Amino acid sequence: MIFGCHLSIKNGYFGAAKQASKMNAGAFQYFPKNPRSLSVKDFNQQDAIACKEFCEENAILTVTHSPYPTSLTPNDKRKRDQVIQSLLNDLEITEACGSIGVVVHFGKEVSHLTLLESYQLIIEMLNEVLGEWDGNAKILLENNAGMPGAFGTTLEELVQIRKLCDYPEKIGFCFDTCHAFSCGLWDGENWSDLLEKGEKIGYFKELQLVHFNNSKYDTRLGKDRHAPIFGPGYIKESQFDQLVNTTQLANVPFILETPKEEIPHEKEIQLLQEKWGDHF
């Protein structure tokens, strides 16, 4: 199993890679630039190359996460143009650092649009970005948190959006355990059913990353509050065990986005490796 966490790039991309190595992590996630801005970053190419080479030498997988303001359902043309240019910049940095792809939240239902028009807007945004992108890094669509039936909370939605996009080969998926738990997609008891469904529609074939988070709230309450894997969360250790023991996930990185002030990520990675590291 491949375990890691989200790391800061305050010391550069190479600095984050060296920190992951010190933590004995097999993977890490990072923001390619300021997480609160859609501004385009003129990044340090040498730093990115050093990160890529170090991770290749040390068998560390990496992935980026788009900044918080990134939206595949922007409110207006100005925001739309900003998101497109920002995502292209994210993909460029992701590629330069040798990372798998950039995680992007599915999008939200737009109040003044019909449900179908909201889906269509996501497809248009993906087509516009990926039509200009010719690198290997992918956009990784992440399942949404929310109440049962909320927009972007089902595997079928993610698979269908990818299928309807002009560039499906440039799109993969990121599965967030807390998001899935919040809406009841995975309630802790239905993993075998979810796995069967995901296999049938081709979801797991394109899964590139798991955001490995416990939940501070019970399932189907629509609350997206992360908790440590072995802390006082509502997802039981035995329920995580079903997920971790899934052979389809054997080579997929599990990235912690848990509150590190409760359990330091280095310690949590150590606990994960002790319990599940040698499963495959």
Side-chain angles (χ1 to χ4, degrees), residues 16-266:
K18 289 188 288 186
Q19 184 182 355
S21 179
K22 289 179 181 177
M23 296 171 70
N24 198 28
F28 70 92
Q29 175 180 274
Y30 60 99
F31 287 116
K33 57 195 180 194
N34 184 345
R36 304 193 182 279
S37 172
L38 291 175
S39 60
V40 172
K41 180 178 181 177
D42 183 15
F43 65 99
N44 186 322
Q45 293 278 354
Q46 293 305 312
D47 183 35
I49 292 171
C51 173
K52 178 180 180 179
E53 292 177 346
F54 182 86
C55 289
E56 288 175 348
E57 291 169 4
N58 292 275
I60 299 173
L61 297 178
T62 63
V63 64
T64 67
H65 195 299
S66 59
Y68 297 124
T70 305
S71 172
L72 293 178
T73 48
N75 294 323
D76 52 48
K77 186 180 185 305
R78 179 175 175 274
K79 176 70 177 287
R80 178 175 179 147
D81 292 342
Q82 283 183 318
V83 169
I84 289 169
Q85 293 309 310
S86 177
L87 272 175
L88 286 168
N89 184 223
D90 294 341
L91 284 164
E92 184 184 4
I93 295 170
T94 302
E95 181 88 356
C97 290
S99 302
I100 299 167
V102 53
V103 175
V104 182
H105 293 157
F106 184 83
K108 298 179 180 179
E109 187 174 355
V110 183
S111 59
H112 66 275
L113 299 179
T114 67
L115 187 61
L116 288 177
E117 287 171 336
S118 294
Y119 288 132
Q120 184 60 43
L121 180 54
I122 293 176
I123 294 168
E124 290 173 2
M125 290 288 290
L126 289 170
N127 283 343
E128 195 157 350
V129 172
L130 296 175
E132 295 185 42
W133 175 246
D134 59 2
N136 294 316
K138 296 184 176 185
I139 282 182
L140 307 179
L141 291 178
E142 181 177 0
N143 56 305
N144 284 349
M147 294 294 288
F151 193 76
T153 57
T154 68
L155 301 187
E156 289 89 345
E157 288 170 282
L158 285 99
V159 170
Q160 190 69 357
I161 289 294
R162 180 182 182 275
K163 188 181 296 182
L164 293 174
C165 183
D166 291 342
Y167 310 95
E169 72 282 0
K170 300 179 183 181
I171 299 173
F173 301 127
C174 167
F175 181 79
D176 188 300
T177 55
C178 181
H179 291 185
F181 193 72
S182 80
C183 66
L185 172 65
W186 175 45
D187 62 10
E189 301 295 340
N190 66 336
W191 179 252
S192 60
D193 292 338
L194 186 62
L195 180 61
E196 182 180 355
K197 178 194 294 183
E199 284 278 88
K200 184 176 180 180
I201 64 177
Y203 175 82
F204 286 100
K205 183 180 178 182
E206 306 302 335
L207 183 65
Q208 304 290 320
L209 171 70
V210 172
H211 279 168
F212 202 38
N213 305 306
N214 208 327
S215 174
K216 291 190 175 182
Y217 290 89
D218 206 350
T219 187
R220 296 187 176 88
L221 294 181
K223 303 282 191 178
D224 180 21
R225 291 288 304 281
H226 299 180
I229 299 301
F230 301 109
Y234 275 86
I235 305 176
K236 301 172 185 176
E237 203 171 304
S238 60
Q239 293 169 333
F240 277 128
D241 199 57
Q242 296 175 38
L243 189 150
V244 173
N245 277 299
T246 301
T247 55
Q248 290 87 337
L249 305 182
N251 298 309
V252 175
F254 281 58
I255 300 292
L256 295 167
E257 294 179 319
T258 52
K260 59 186 178 181
E261 64 274 8
E262 296 184 30
I263 299 180
H265 281 157
E266 185 170 6

